[in-house]
RNA sequence: CUGGGUGUGGCGCAGAUGGUAGCGCGCAAGAAUGGGGUUCUUGAGGCCGCUGGUUCAAGUCCAGUCACCCAGACCA
C-alpha cells in the first residue's frame, strides 16, 4: 500500500476528548474516529488490527475444536423474557420495536440465543460436547462509556458457548478455552494473567478473568507475591481472624459529634484512627433494606453482600430510606436500634473491641460498642481484601493492582438450560439439562489494552502479529530518483513474498515520515537514503532505537528473519 | 443517576469590564529546502453547540436545552 493513497489522517495534536494513552493514540494514529459517546468508526489501519486480532482468536478457537457461527444482533424479546433477563438487563439494553410493535433488542450478549439454537437442534448425548462461537457486534447502553473503546456501547466480542453432558465434560471444555485464551493473548503481545473471578449471584461454578495489568483498568486484582494466587478483588476472601486485644470492655457512652459524619471528620473529632470505627452502610437489596458494617478503614465488598443475600440488585439506599431506618440524617447510622431487614457484620467488626459507631441520632455517635454485648447481626466476609491482609491461599504478602479485563471464561452450568428447557437424552434414556459454559473476549478492548502496554512517547509499538502492516519503506528524498527507485524495488520485492508493506511515497520531509511511521507503530522500517548509491539502506525496528545499515539485496532476508519467516 | 468540567474554522487553543472574531497546526497555490513534524509568500475556511430572553448592541450577561469529557455509582 502506498501511504500517499492510504486513508490515514493522523493527528499531530492530542484530541482534547481523550484522556488515556490508548485512546489518544487510537485517534492520533488514525485507527478510529468517534461518532457518538461510546460509538466509534474504524478507519483502515484500525480495522486491519481488529481483523488480525479476530483472526488470531479464530485460529485458536478452531484449534480447540470450537466452530464459528454468526448470530443476528437484532434479537426478539421473547427469548429474553423467557430467561427473565428482559427486565434484569433493563436500561443496559438498546430496545426497539418493529412496525408491528413487536419488541426487539440489540444483543448485549447471546446466552439465550445460543441456548435456543441448541435446544432446537440437539437431542442426544451423542451430539456433545459441542462448542460454538461467534465474533460479532454487541450493544450495551452503558451508563458511562469510558476511555474510548475500553468501555463502549458498541463493540466486537468473541463469545463462545460450550455444551456438555457432564460436569467433568464442562471442566474439560473450560480448560480448553483457558488454553486457547492463553495462546490468544500471548500472540497479541499482552502481559496478562488469568485470575479467579466472582461467579455472580445467579450461580455458576467457576469463573476466570484474563486481566491485563494497567493503571487505567477498571478492575482491582489481588496478586500474591509468593504463590500463584491471583483474583479479582470482588472474589478474594478475607477470614475470621480472632485478635488478642489487650483492652477491657468499656461502658457504652453516647457522644455529641456535631458536623462530623464522615470517617475522616470523625477521626479528627475523636483524635484517633479510622480502624477504631465501624461504619454502617444502608443498602437497598431488591425489596429489602439491609445494613452492612465494616471497619472504618475498610470498603464494603458489594459482590460479597450480593452473594450472601442472593439478591439481584444492590444499591446504596437514598437519603429518605436512611432517615427512615436510622431516624437520623445520613452519617449517623449505627447497629443499635437500626430498623433493617438484616444487619450484616464483617468479621473484623465482630472481632474488634470498643468501637465507635453511629447512634442513629443526628449529631451523635456511640463509643465502646461491642458485638455480642451491644448488638447482634449476621457475621461474615463483607469487605474488600487489603494489602494488610494475607494471601488466602498461602498466607503470603499480597499486592493489589488495577487490571483491564480482556477475557472471561465462565462455567454457567445449567442456569440457562434449565430456565429455557435445553435438555438432552442421556445413555439411559433420561432427559437432563445441558451443562453450559460461556467464554468472551472483547476484541476492541484487547486492541486498546495492547496499545496501553506497547507504546512510547512517539506512538504505538505494535507487536508483529497484529500490526496493521509489518514493514514500512521510507524513501527519504522523493526528488532523488535513485532513492525512489530503490525504495519501490524493495517495496515490490517484499510485497511479492506476501509481506504487508507500506511505502511512504508522499512528498514530505523525512521527519514527517518518520514521525508518522513511529506513531502508527509499524514494526519494521526500511529507510532508503543517501547511501543507496553504495547499495546501503537502513533497517530499524520500531521497538528498538538501533539503526542497522544493510545491503539493499539483504533486505528481504533480514525482514523475513525479523518476522520469523522461513 | 450524583458531582465536577468543556462546547469558538479539520485539530489544539485565545478572546479584561457586552461594540459584531483571532493565533498555532493542518488545508490550497507558489518558491526555496531535503535524514526527525523546514522556511517564506499568497489564499480558502467560522450561524462562536442549540433555543429563548435582557440590551441600541451578545462569543461575552440570564434562563433553558443538547452534546462531549472526568470522578463516583453501576456493569452477564
Amino acid at each position: 500500500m502506498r501511504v500517499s493513497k492510504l486513508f490515514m489522517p493522523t493527528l499531530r495534536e492530542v484530541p482534547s476528548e481523550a484522556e488515556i494513552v490508548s485512546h489518544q493514540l487510537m485517534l492520533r494514529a488514525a485507527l478510529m474516529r468517534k461518532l457518538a459517546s461510546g460509538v466509534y468508526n474504524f478507519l483502515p489501519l484500525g480495522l486491519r488490527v481488529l481483523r488480525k486480532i479476530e483472526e488470531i482468536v479464530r485460529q485458536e478457537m478452531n484449534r480447540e475444536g470450537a466452530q464459528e457461527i454468526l448470530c443476528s444482533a437484532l434479537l426478539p424479546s421473547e427469548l429474553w423474557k423467557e430467561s427473565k433477563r428482559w427486565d434484569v438487563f433493563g436500561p443496559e439494553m438498546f430496545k426497539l420495536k418493529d412496525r408491528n410493535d413487536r419488541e426487539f433488542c440489540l444483543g448485549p450478549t447471546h446466552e439465550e440465543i445460543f441456548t435456543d439454537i441448541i435446544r432446537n437442534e440437539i437431542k442426544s448425548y451423542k451430539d456433545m460436547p459441542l462448542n460454538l462461537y461467534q465474533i460479532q457486534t454487541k450493544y450495551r447502553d452503558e451508563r458511562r462509556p469510558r476511555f474510548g473503546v475500553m468501555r463502549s456501547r458498541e463493540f466486537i466480542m468473541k463469545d463462545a458457548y460450550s455444551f456438555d453432558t457432564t460436569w467433568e465434560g464442562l471442566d474439560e471444555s473450560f480448560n480448553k478455552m483457558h488454553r486457547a485464551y492463553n495462546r490468544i493473548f500471548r500472540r497479541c503481545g499482552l502481559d496478562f494473567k488469568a485470575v479467579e473471578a466472582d461467579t455472580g449471584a445467579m450461580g455458576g461454578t467457576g469463573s476466570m478473568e484474563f486481566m491485563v495489568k494497567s493503571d487505567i483498568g477498571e478492575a482491582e486484582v489481588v496478586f500474591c507475591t509468593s504463590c500463584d494466587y491471583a483474583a479479582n478483588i470482588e472474589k478474594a476472601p478475607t477470614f475470621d481472624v480472632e485478635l488478642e486485644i489487650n483492652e477491657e470492655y468499656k461502658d457504652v457512652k453516647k457522644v455529641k459529634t456535631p458536623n462530623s459524619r464522615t470517617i475522616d471528620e470523625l477521626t479528627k473529632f475523636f483524635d484517633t484512627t479510622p480502624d477504631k470505627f465501624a461504619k454502617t452502610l444502608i443498602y437497598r437489596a431488591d425489596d429489602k433494606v439491609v445494613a452492612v458494617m465494616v471497619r472504618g478503614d475498610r470498603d464494603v465488598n458489594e459482590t460479597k453482600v450480593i452473594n450472601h443475600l442472593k439478591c439481584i440488585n444492590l444499591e446504596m439506599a437514598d437519603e429518605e430510606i436512611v432517615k427512615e431506618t436510622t431516624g437520623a440524617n445520613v452519617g449517623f447510622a449505627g447497629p443499635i436500634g437500626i430498623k433493617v431487614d438484616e444487619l450484616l457484620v464483617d468479621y473484623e467488626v465482630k472481632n474488634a473491641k470498643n468501637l465507635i459507631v453511629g447512634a442513629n441520632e443526628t449529631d451523635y455517635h456511640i463509643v465502646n460498642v461491642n458485638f455480642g454485648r451491644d448488638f447482634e447481626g449476621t457475621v461474615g466476609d463483607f469487605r474488600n481484601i487489603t494489602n494488610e491482609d494475607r494471601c488466602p491461599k498461602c498466607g503470603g504478602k499480597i499486592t493489589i493492582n488495577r487490571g483491564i479485563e480482556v477475557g472471561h471464561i465462565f462455567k454457567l452450568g445449567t442456569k440457562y438450560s434449565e430456565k429455557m428447557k435445553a435438555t438432552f437424552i442421556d445413555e439411559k434414556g433420561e432427559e437432563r439439562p445441558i451443562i453450559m459454559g460461556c467464554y468472551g473476549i472483547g476484541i476492541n478492548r484487547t486492541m486498546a489494552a495492547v496499545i496501553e502496554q506497547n507504546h512510547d512517547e512517539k506512538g504505538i509499538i505494535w507487536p508483529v502479529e497484529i500490526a496493521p502492516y509489518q514493514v514500512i519503506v521510507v524513501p527519504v528524498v522523493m526528488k532523488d530518483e535513485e532513492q525512489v527507485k530503490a525504495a519501490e524495488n524493495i517495496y515490490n520485492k517484499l510485497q511479492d513474498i506476501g509481506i504487508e508493506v507500506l511505502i511512504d511515497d508522499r512528498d514530505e520531509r523525512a521527519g514527517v515520515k518518520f514521525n508518522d511511521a513511529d506513531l502508527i507503530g509499524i514494526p519494521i522500517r526500511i529507510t532508503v537514503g543517501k547511501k543507496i548509491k553504495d547499495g546501503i539502506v537502513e533497517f530499524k525496528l520500531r521497538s528498538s532505537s538501533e539503526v542497522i545499515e544493510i545491503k539493499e539485496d539483504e533486505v528481504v532476508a533480514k525482514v523475513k528473519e525479523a518476522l520469523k519467516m522461513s
Side-chain angles (χ1 to χ4, degrees):
Chain A
M1 184 73 205
R2 297 180 171 278
V3 175
S4 64
K5 301 276 190 284
L6 180 61
F7 181 49
M8 183 188 83
T10 54
L11 268 23
R12 185 184 290 211
E13 295 186 76
V14 179
S16 57
E17 71 188 44
E19 199 94 346
I20 63 161
V21 180
S22 60
H23 188 194
Q24 293 173 349
L25 287 175
M26 285 176 85
L27 295 169
R28 286 229 293 137
L31 304 183
M32 65 174 194
R33 288 290 185 264
K34 184 176 74 184
L35 217 208
S37 178
V39 182
Y40 291 86
N41 294 322
F42 279 84
L43 307 185
L45 292 178
L47 183 62
R48 286 180 78 94
V49 176
L50 229 31
R51 292 287 181 252
K52 289 200 172 188
I53 296 172
E54 288 176 8
E55 195 48 38
I56 290 173
V57 169
R58 191 132 43 212
Q59 286 171 10
E60 299 300 343
M61 290 299 292
N62 293 347
R63 212 167 128 185
E64 293 295 347
Q67 297 172 61
E68 185 173 7
I69 67 170
L70 181 59
C71 294
S72 173
L74 184 63
L75 308 175
S77 64
E78 285 81 1
L79 291 174
W80 294 86
K81 287 179 174 160
E82 192 179 340
S83 73
K84 304 275 195 295
R85 290 167 100 197
W86 184 254
D87 296 319
V88 172
F89 246 100
E92 288 267 290
M93 265 204 286
F94 282 104
K95 295 178 180 174
L96 57 158
K97 285 179 179 167
D98 72 7
R99 62 174 72 204
N100 298 317
D101 248 17
R102 189 177 168 196
E103 289 183 300
F104 287 83
C105 70
L106 296 176
T109 177
H110 281 236
E111 281 83 3
E112 282 82 353
I113 320 309
F114 276 70
T115 309
D116 182 59
I117 290 172
I118 289 307
R119 71 174 169 185
N120 293 335
E121 314 302 335
I122 280 199
K123 307 284 178 230
S124 162
Y125 71 94
K126 291 174 191 162
D127 300 325
M128 287 176 278
L130 180 67
N131 185 323
L132 298 178
Y133 74 98
Q134 63 172 344
I135 296 172
Q136 189 246 15
T137 308
K138 298 280 187 273
Y139 298 86
R140 295 183 189 182
D141 193 0
E142 295 285 349
R143 279 185 198 208
R144 175 139 102 92
R146 291 203 207 211
F147 296 155
V149 102
M150 204 58 90
R151 176 167 294 276
S152 51
R153 297 194 291 176
E154 182 196 70
F155 60 98
I156 300 171
M157 182 181 195
K158 187 283 302 178
D159 50 326
Y161 304 85
S162 67
F163 306 92
D164 281 279
T165 58
T166 64
W167 291 93
E168 296 73 44
L170 171 60
D171 288 344
E172 180 54 29
S173 296
F174 184 86
N175 290 338
K176 282 183 174 181
M177 289 298 100
H178 196 303
R179 288 201 297 267
Y181 277 37
N182 275 326
R183 291 195 301 266
I184 289 165
F185 294 124
R186 205 174 302 134
R187 286 178 67 184
C188 288
L190 284 170
D191 175 18
F192 67 98
K193 174 104 180 152
V195 314
E196 288 180 29
D198 182 68
T199 51
M202 308 283 278
T205 52
S207 164
M208 296 203 91
E209 288 165 345
F210 287 76
M211 291 286 190
V212 172
K213 259 195 203 181
S214 164
D215 290 340
I216 59 108
E218 293 183 277
E220 289 189 273
V221 187
V222 180
F223 294 94
C224 178
T225 55
S226 39
C227 76
D228 64 350
Y229 182 81
N232 192 309
I233 199 162
E234 292 176 348
K235 169 83 176 173
T238 65
F239 302 99
D240 187 0
V241 184
E242 309 251 359
L243 300 167
E244 297 262 341
I245 305 172
N246 287 325
E247 199 177 315
E248 293 302 309
Y249 286 106
K250 294 183 196 153
D251 289 338
V252 167
K253 202 169 80 189
K254 192 152 86 176
V255 177
K256 185 154 187 166
T257 55
N259 301 321
S260 298
R261 57 187 69 205
T262 65
I263 291 293
D264 216 33
E265 291 162 350
L266 287 163
T267 308
K268 283 193 194 109
F269 183 89
F270 285 100
D271 190 25
T272 180
T273 49
D275 57 303
K276 300 290 187 254
F277 296 85
K279 53 186 173 191
T280 307
L281 302 173
I282 320 284
Y283 283 92
R284 247 186 37 223
D286 296 342
D287 49 358
K288 290 202 285 189
V289 176
V290 300
V292 185
M293 290 185 76
V294 297
R295 232 169 63 180
D297 54 340
R298 305 303 192 206
D299 292 322
V300 170
N301 183 317
E302 294 185 358
T303 303
K304 291 175 181 175
V305 174
I306 289 172
N307 289 344
H308 170 83
L309 295 170
K310 296 185 172 48
C311 64
I312 311 268
N313 273 312
L314 184 78
E315 52 188 55
M316 293 288 283
D318 53 39
E319 217 178 305
E320 211 170 298
I321 294 179
V322 173
K323 281 183 179 165
E324 238 169 72
T325 53
T326 64
N329 287 339
V330 175
F332 303 97
I336 301 170
I338 196 166
K339 284 176 276 175
V340 290
D341 296 307
E342 188 167 359
L343 176 65
L344 304 181
V345 180
D346 185 68
Y347 290 130
E348 276 187 332
V349 172
K350 185 203 82 176
N351 292 329
K353 266 187 197 169
N354 302 327
L355 288 164
I356 305 170
V357 301
N360 293 325
E361 188 179 336
T362 302
D363 287 343
Y364 285 95
H365 278 75
I366 301 179
V367 300
N368 302 328
V369 170
N370 291 283
F371 179 81
R373 187 187 73 174
D374 306 314
F375 68 98
E376 297 283 346
T378 311
V379 176
D381 169 21
F382 300 116
R383 68 173 172 96
N384 278 345
I385 199 168
T386 70
N387 44 26
E388 295 164 28
D389 290 292
R390 302 263 114 195
C391 169
K393 192 171 160 189
C394 76
K397 194 172 155 33
I398 59 164
T399 60
I400 298 172
N401 290 291
R402 292 200 153 260
I404 302 166
E405 180 192 341
V406 288
H408 194 170
I409 57 179
F410 197 107
K411 293 180 188 174
L412 284 176
T414 56
K415 181 182 155 189
Y416 290 91
S417 50
E418 276 178 11
K419 232 183 265 185
M420 296 178 66
K421 299 192 174 52
T423 59
F424 68 101
I425 307 295
D426 69 11
E427 297 90 322
K428 293 174 192 139
E430 279 170 32
E431 189 178 20
R432 293 188 0 225
I434 293 172
I435 299 169
M436 292 172 56
C438 73
Y439 316 93
I441 291 178
I443 304 290
N444 324 47
R445 187 184 282 184
T446 298
M447 179 171 170
V450 170
I451 297 172
E452 282 296 324
Q453 283 195 339
N454 299 278
H455 69 269
D456 60 17
E457 59 297 334
K458 289 186 173 300
I460 302 169
I461 306 173
W462 287 117
V464 169
E465 274 227 63
I466 63 172
Y469 289 88
Q470 297 156 349
V471 180
I472 183 164
V473 181
V474 180
V476 171
V477 181
M478 291 305 287
K479 289 220 167 61
D480 186 327
E481 276 180 38
E482 197 180 0
Q483 288 181 25
V484 172
K485 214 177 120 198
E488 291 282 350
N489 188 252
I490 291 167
Y491 170 66
N492 287 327
K493 274 201 269 186
L494 290 172
Q495 211 162 36
D496 286 348
I497 59 169
I499 287 169
E500 295 167 306
V501 52
L502 288 171
I503 180 166
D504 197 342
D505 57 340
R506 295 175 297 175
D507 186 17
E508 290 285 354
R509 301 205 128 217
V512 174
K513 296 184 183 186
F514 292 155
N515 281 321
D516 268 341
D518 288 344
L519 177 60
I520 66 174
I522 306 302
I524 299 172
R525 190 180 82 199
I526 307 293
T527 309
V528 183
K530 288 196 274 291
K531 288 190 178 167
I532 192 62
K533 58 179 182 297
D534 304 320
I536 288 176
V537 300
E538 284 166 16
F539 176 96
K540 183 182 173 300
L541 296 178
R542 175 67 180 86
S543 55
S544 147
S545 56
E546 194 187 0
V547 176
I548 306 165
E549 297 197 340
I550 59 173
K551 289 261 177 53
E552 192 183 350
D553 52 18
E554 291 169 356
V555 169
V556 171
K558 187 81 183 163
V559 168
K560 275 185 174 176
E561 182 203 322
L563 297 176
K564 292 193 191 73
M565 291 169 60
S566 52

